Structures are given as C-alpha cells and as structure tokens.
Amino acid sequence: MIERLSPIKRQVTPSILVRDWHQGDRPSVRFPTTGHPTFEVTLVDEGMLEYHSNKRVVEVGRGRILVVPATVEHATGIITGTRSTTLHIDAQLVTEIIDATGGRLDLARPHLLADTDKLSPLIQMIHDEALEADEGSRLAIDALTEALLVRLSRCRTSSTTNQHPRDPRLRVALDQIETEYDQKLTVDVLAKTAGMSRFHFSRLFREQLGRSPYRFLMEHRIARAAALLRRHRISITEAALNVGFPDLS
C-alpha cells in the first residue's frame, strides 16, 4: 500500500469524487443509513470498515475492496486506525461500461471483490492524480476510471462473504443466519425456515454454497466473534457466548 499524503475530498471530474478516510486514534464511528446516487468503490489501506445493509454486515479489512451500487441503502462504520479511499463514480457511466463489456457485476447490494491485486493499483493511481488537480490529472483520471470499471465488470465477488444461492428458500435461511446467528440455531430450524426436509435442505445448501449449513453457521459465528474481539476489550469466552457458541470449546 502507498502512503497517503493528506486527507482529500475532491470532485476531480464530473464523473468521479475521491475521498479519503483517516480515522487515526479517534473513536470508531457509524454514520446514519443512506443511499448515495453514485457508485462507490472503497479500498482499505489499514484497519477495517463495516457496511450494514439489509440486515447484513460486510467487513472490509486491510487490502480489501468493496463496491456499493448506487442508491443501495447502507450505514458505514469506521473502526479506529482505519485509512481508506472511496471513489464515488457516476452511476450512468458505470452502467454504460458494464453494458458495453457484457459485465457481470452485481448492482443489487454491497459486496467484496476477489480480484483485488488488479484493482488496487488503479484506485491508488486515481487517488494520486486527484492530489494534482490539473488538466493533465483530469484526463488521466477519466482514462483510469474507465479502465477500473472495465476491470470491475470482469470481477468475481468474494465467495467467503457474499453468498448468492439460486434457490430463494436458501436465501431465506441465509437471512436467518445473518440476523439470528447468536440464537440457538440448528440445521433443523434452518430447514424448517426454508420449508424443506433436513436432508433436502442440507444437500441443496452444500450444492449451491459449497459447504454444509452447520459449517456455514460456525464460520459466520467465528467471523462475528473476531469482529467483537477487534472492536472491544472483551475475553474470548465473552465473544464466543455473544455470538451463540454455548461454551468456550
């Protein structure tokens, strides 16, 4: 990661605004829920951001990239020590590039991207050009933004945080895991929520999500416990109990 020179918030061209977050030693904050008219691309240099949207929480750690489609309502949480850059890109430009390239980017909800190595340098170059703010930098930013959007249109989402099962019954069960992970959830309860037998639910879940319902729930609880340990001065036992594990083991 390159060292940021100074915090900026600059409308560098009609199509893109560049904004830095430097939280430093200041306490963690969470902003009110809103839906921006622009398409957002965020790269985290240090620390972690949290995006709360539709009862889901997407954690964006160091070196990760998150996209938030235009008008999607979300609340942003910034953890102490976080440094990040967000690009606010004109939504019409994004749609035009994706349509022209036949891209497969999800424009329905916030999600992490898997192919960060190819995208991070472009975001960093756009940031550096925004610091110049002359005619040459504006031309460079326009070209870099189009290149970034072409790359984005080819990207895969991160399979560890974004789950898009084809069967809508599984999506209902995933929503229950997201909102009730700290309760006494079992595979039987999840299967009942999905309106399927335990056997059929487990088989379909594994086929479409690549792991068993039990393993998925355990991984989600561990991720939430890890987030608690990063943000609060609590013990491992307290974190485990808070996310639904019955004991420390």
Side-chain angles (χ1 to χ4, degrees), residues 165-195:
R166 297 183 300 277
D167 195 304
R169 295 173 296 179
L170 295 184
R171 290 197 289 270
V172 173
L174 286 183
D175 286 340
Q176 186 174 27
I177 291 175
E178 292 279 359
T179 57
E180 300 178 21
Y181 61 87
D182 56 344
Q183 305 299 313
K184 293 182 178 180
L185 284 183
T186 64
V187 177
D188 286 332
V189 170
L190 293 170
K192 184 177 180 180
T193 297

Short mmCIF file of all heavy atoms in Angstrom, two decimals, residues 165-195:
data_model
loop_
_atom_site.label_atom_id
_atom_site.label_comp_id
_atom_site.label_asym_id
_atom_site.label_seq_id
_atom_site.Cartn_x
_atom_site.Cartn_y
_atom_site.Cartn_z
N PRO A 165 -27.19 -17.94 -3.40
CA PRO A 165 -27.77 -19.21 -3.84
C PRO A 165 -28.89 -18.96 -4.84
O PRO A 165 -29.59 -17.95 -4.78
CB PRO A 165 -28.30 -19.82 -2.55
CG PRO A 165 -28.56 -18.66 -1.65
CD PRO A 165 -27.48 -17.66 -1.98
N ARG A 166 -29.05 -19.89 -5.76
CA ARG A 166 -30.09 -19.74 -6.78
C ARG A 166 -31.48 -19.94 -6.19
O ARG A 166 -32.43 -19.29 -6.62
CB ARG A 166 -29.84 -20.75 -7.91
CG ARG A 166 -28.54 -20.53 -8.66
CD ARG A 166 -28.39 -21.52 -9.81
NE ARG A 166 -28.41 -22.91 -9.36
CZ ARG A 166 -27.34 -23.54 -8.89
NH1 ARG A 166 -26.18 -22.92 -8.79
NH2 ARG A 166 -27.41 -24.81 -8.52
N ASP A 167 -31.59 -20.84 -5.25
CA ASP A 167 -32.90 -21.16 -4.67
C ASP A 167 -33.30 -20.10 -3.65
O ASP A 167 -32.57 -19.87 -2.68
CB ASP A 167 -32.85 -22.54 -4.00
CG ASP A 167 -34.23 -23.09 -3.70
OD1 ASP A 167 -35.00 -22.38 -3.02
OD2 ASP A 167 -34.53 -24.21 -4.13
N PRO A 168 -34.45 -19.43 -3.83
CA PRO A 168 -34.86 -18.37 -2.89
C PRO A 168 -35.09 -18.89 -1.48
O PRO A 168 -34.99 -18.13 -0.52
CB PRO A 168 -36.15 -17.83 -3.52
CG PRO A 168 -36.64 -18.91 -4.42
CD PRO A 168 -35.40 -19.60 -4.94
N ARG A 169 -35.39 -20.17 -1.32
CA ARG A 169 -35.60 -20.73 0.02
C ARG A 169 -34.30 -20.73 0.82
O ARG A 169 -34.30 -20.52 2.03
CB ARG A 169 -36.17 -22.14 -0.09
CG ARG A 169 -37.58 -22.21 -0.69
CD ARG A 169 -38.02 -23.63 -0.93
NE ARG A 169 -37.16 -24.29 -1.92
CZ ARG A 169 -37.32 -25.56 -2.30
NH1 ARG A 169 -38.28 -26.30 -1.75
NH2 ARG A 169 -36.51 -26.08 -3.21
N LEU A 170 -33.18 -20.94 0.12
CA LEU A 170 -31.90 -20.88 0.80
C LEU A 170 -31.55 -19.45 1.20
O LEU A 170 -30.93 -19.23 2.25
CB LEU A 170 -30.79 -21.44 -0.10
CG LEU A 170 -30.87 -22.93 -0.44
CD1 LEU A 170 -29.65 -23.36 -1.24
CD2 LEU A 170 -30.99 -23.77 0.83
N ARG A 171 -31.96 -18.48 0.39
CA ARG A 171 -31.70 -17.09 0.74
C ARG A 171 -32.44 -16.70 2.02
O ARG A 171 -31.93 -15.92 2.84
CB ARG A 171 -32.10 -16.17 -0.41
CG ARG A 171 -31.18 -16.29 -1.63
CD ARG A 171 -31.33 -15.11 -2.56
NE ARG A 171 -32.60 -15.11 -3.25
CZ ARG A 171 -32.82 -15.69 -4.42
NH1 ARG A 171 -31.82 -16.33 -5.03
NH2 ARG A 171 -33.99 -15.63 -5.01
N VAL A 172 -33.63 -17.27 2.22
CA VAL A 172 -34.38 -17.03 3.46
C VAL A 172 -33.61 -17.59 4.65
O VAL A 172 -33.50 -16.95 5.71
CB VAL A 172 -35.79 -17.64 3.37
CG1 VAL A 172 -36.51 -17.54 4.72
CG2 VAL A 172 -36.62 -16.94 2.30
N ALA A 173 -33.05 -18.78 4.48
CA ALA A 173 -32.27 -19.39 5.56
C ALA A 173 -31.00 -18.59 5.85
O ALA A 173 -30.61 -18.42 7.01
CB ALA A 173 -31.91 -20.84 5.19
N LEU A 174 -30.36 -18.06 4.80
CA LEU A 174 -29.17 -17.23 4.99
C LEU A 174 -29.51 -15.96 5.76
O LEU A 174 -28.74 -15.51 6.62
CB LEU A 174 -28.55 -16.87 3.64
CG LEU A 174 -27.79 -17.97 2.91
CD1 LEU A 174 -27.17 -17.41 1.64
CD2 LEU A 174 -26.71 -18.57 3.80
N ASP A 175 -30.65 -15.38 5.45
CA ASP A 175 -31.08 -14.19 6.18
C ASP A 175 -31.26 -14.50 7.66
O ASP A 175 -30.94 -13.68 8.53
CB ASP A 175 -32.39 -13.65 5.60
CG ASP A 175 -32.21 -12.96 4.26
OD1 ASP A 175 -31.06 -12.58 3.95
OD2 ASP A 175 -33.19 -12.81 3.52
N GLN A 176 -31.77 -15.70 7.96
CA GLN A 176 -31.94 -16.08 9.36
C GLN A 176 -30.58 -16.23 10.04
O GLN A 176 -30.41 -15.81 11.20
CB GLN A 176 -32.73 -17.39 9.47
CG GLN A 176 -33.06 -17.76 10.92
CD GLN A 176 -33.96 -18.98 11.02
OE1 GLN A 176 -33.96 -19.85 10.15
NE2 GLN A 176 -34.74 -19.04 12.09
N ILE A 177 -29.61 -16.80 9.35
CA ILE A 177 -28.27 -16.92 9.92
C ILE A 177 -27.68 -15.54 10.18
O ILE A 177 -27.07 -15.28 11.23
CB ILE A 177 -27.35 -17.73 8.99
CG1 ILE A 177 -27.79 -19.20 8.95
CG2 ILE A 177 -25.89 -17.62 9.43
CD1 ILE A 177 -27.04 -20.06 7.97
N GLU A 178 -27.87 -14.61 9.24
CA GLU A 178 -27.32 -13.26 9.38
C GLU A 178 -27.90 -12.54 10.59
O GLU A 178 -27.20 -11.80 11.27
CB GLU A 178 -27.61 -12.45 8.11
CG GLU A 178 -26.89 -12.92 6.88
CD GLU A 178 -25.47 -12.42 6.81
OE1 GLU A 178 -25.07 -11.68 7.74
OE2 GLU A 178 -24.75 -12.75 5.85
N THR A 179 -29.18 -12.73 10.85
CA THR A 179 -29.85 -11.94 11.89
C THR A 179 -29.98 -12.68 13.21
O THR A 179 -30.14 -12.05 14.26
CB THR A 179 -31.25 -11.52 11.42
OG1 THR A 179 -32.01 -12.69 11.08
CG2 THR A 179 -31.16 -10.61 10.19
N GLU A 180 -29.90 -14.03 13.21
CA GLU A 180 -30.12 -14.80 14.43
C GLU A 180 -28.96 -15.73 14.76
O GLU A 180 -29.13 -16.72 15.46
CB GLU A 180 -31.42 -15.62 14.30
CG GLU A 180 -32.67 -14.78 14.05
CD GLU A 180 -33.93 -15.62 13.88
OE1 GLU A 180 -33.92 -16.78 14.34
OE2 GLU A 180 -34.89 -15.12 13.28
N TYR A 181 -27.77 -15.40 14.26
CA TYR A 181 -26.61 -16.27 14.48
C TYR A 181 -26.29 -16.47 15.96
O TYR A 181 -25.67 -17.46 16.34
CB TYR A 181 -25.38 -15.71 13.76
CG TYR A 181 -24.96 -14.34 14.24
CD1 TYR A 181 -24.11 -14.18 15.34
CD2 TYR A 181 -25.42 -13.20 13.61
CE1 TYR A 181 -23.74 -12.94 15.79
CE2 TYR A 181 -25.05 -11.93 14.04
CZ TYR A 181 -24.20 -11.81 15.13
OH TYR A 181 -23.85 -10.55 15.58
N ASP A 182 -26.72 -15.51 16.80
CA ASP A 182 -26.43 -15.60 18.23
C ASP A 182 -27.50 -16.37 19.00
O ASP A 182 -27.43 -16.49 20.22
CB ASP A 182 -26.27 -14.20 18.84
CG ASP A 182 -27.49 -13.32 18.60
OD1 ASP A 182 -28.33 -13.66 17.74
OD2 ASP A 182 -27.60 -12.28 19.28
N GLN A 183 -28.50 -16.90 18.29
CA GLN A 183 -29.56 -17.68 18.92
C GLN A 183 -29.25 -19.18 18.81
O GLN A 183 -28.24 -19.58 18.23
CB GLN A 183 -30.91 -17.36 18.25
CG GLN A 183 -31.25 -15.88 18.24
CD GLN A 183 -31.37 -15.31 19.63
OE1 GLN A 183 -32.02 -15.89 20.51
NE2 GLN A 183 -30.74 -14.16 19.85
N LYS A 184 -30.14 -20.01 19.32
CA LYS A 184 -29.96 -21.46 19.29
C LYS A 184 -30.40 -22.02 17.95
O LYS A 184 -31.40 -22.74 17.83
CB LYS A 184 -30.72 -22.12 20.43
CG LYS A 184 -30.18 -21.78 21.81
CD LYS A 184 -30.94 -22.50 22.91
CE LYS A 184 -30.38 -22.19 24.29
NZ LYS A 184 -31.09 -22.88 25.38
N LEU A 185 -29.64 -21.67 16.90
CA LEU A 185 -29.96 -22.15 15.56
C LEU A 185 -29.42 -23.56 15.36
O LEU A 185 -28.32 -23.89 15.80
CB LEU A 185 -29.35 -21.23 14.51
CG LEU A 185 -30.02 -19.88 14.25
CD1 LEU A 185 -29.31 -19.16 13.12
CD2 LEU A 185 -31.50 -20.05 13.92
N THR A 186 -30.20 -24.38 14.69
CA THR A 186 -29.78 -25.73 14.31
C THR A 186 -30.11 -25.94 12.85
O THR A 186 -30.85 -25.15 12.24
CB THR A 186 -30.49 -26.80 15.15
OG1 THR A 186 -31.91 -26.75 14.85
CG2 THR A 186 -30.28 -26.58 16.65
N VAL A 187 -29.58 -26.99 12.26
CA VAL A 187 -29.91 -27.30 10.87
C VAL A 187 -31.40 -27.57 10.73
O VAL A 187 -32.03 -27.18 9.74
CB VAL A 187 -29.08 -28.51 10.39
CG1 VAL A 187 -29.49 -28.88 8.95
CG2 VAL A 187 -27.59 -28.18 10.44
N ASP A 188 -32.00 -28.20 11.73
CA ASP A 188 -33.44 -28.46 11.69
C ASP A 188 -34.24 -27.16 11.65
O ASP A 188 -35.22 -27.04 10.90
CB ASP A 188 -33.87 -29.29 12.91
CG ASP A 188 -33.43 -30.74 12.81
OD1 ASP A 188 -33.31 -31.23 11.67
OD2 ASP A 188 -33.20 -31.37 13.86
N VAL A 189 -33.82 -26.18 12.46
CA VAL A 189 -34.52 -24.89 12.47
C VAL A 189 -34.38 -24.20 11.13
O VAL A 189 -35.35 -23.66 10.58
CB VAL A 189 -33.95 -24.00 13.60
CG1 VAL A 189 -34.48 -22.57 13.47
CG2 VAL A 189 -34.31 -24.57 14.96
N LEU A 190 -33.18 -24.21 10.55
CA LEU A 190 -32.94 -23.57 9.27
C LEU A 190 -33.73 -24.26 8.15
O LEU A 190 -34.28 -23.60 7.26
CB LEU A 190 -31.45 -23.58 8.95
CG LEU A 190 -30.57 -22.70 9.85
CD1 LEU A 190 -29.10 -23.00 9.60
CD2 LEU A 190 -30.87 -21.23 9.64
N ALA A 191 -33.78 -25.59 8.20
CA ALA A 191 -34.54 -26.34 7.19
C ALA A 191 -36.02 -26.01 7.28
O ALA A 191 -36.71 -25.85 6.26
CB ALA A 191 -34.32 -27.84 7.38
N LYS A 192 -36.53 -25.87 8.51
CA LYS A 192 -37.93 -25.50 8.69
C LYS A 192 -38.20 -24.11 8.14
O LYS A 192 -39.24 -23.88 7.48
CB LYS A 192 -38.30 -25.56 10.17
CG LYS A 192 -39.77 -25.29 10.45
CD LYS A 192 -40.08 -25.45 11.93
CE LYS A 192 -41.56 -25.17 12.21
NZ LYS A 192 -41.88 -25.32 13.66
N THR A 193 -37.28 -23.17 8.36
CA THR A 193 -37.43 -21.82 7.82
C THR A 193 -37.47 -21.86 6.29
O THR A 193 -38.24 -21.12 5.66
CB THR A 193 -36.25 -20.93 8.27
OG1 THR A 193 -36.29 -20.81 9.69
CG2 THR A 193 -36.32 -19.55 7.64
N ALA A 194 -36.66 -22.72 5.70
CA ALA A 194 -36.62 -22.84 4.25
C ALA A 194 -37.78 -23.65 3.69
O ALA A 194 -37.99 -23.69 2.47
CB ALA A 194 -35.30 -23.48 3.83
N GLY A 195 -38.53 -24.31 4.57
CA GLY A 195 -39.67 -25.10 4.12
C GLY A 195 -39.27 -26.40 3.45
O GLY A 195 -39.93 -26.86 2.51
#
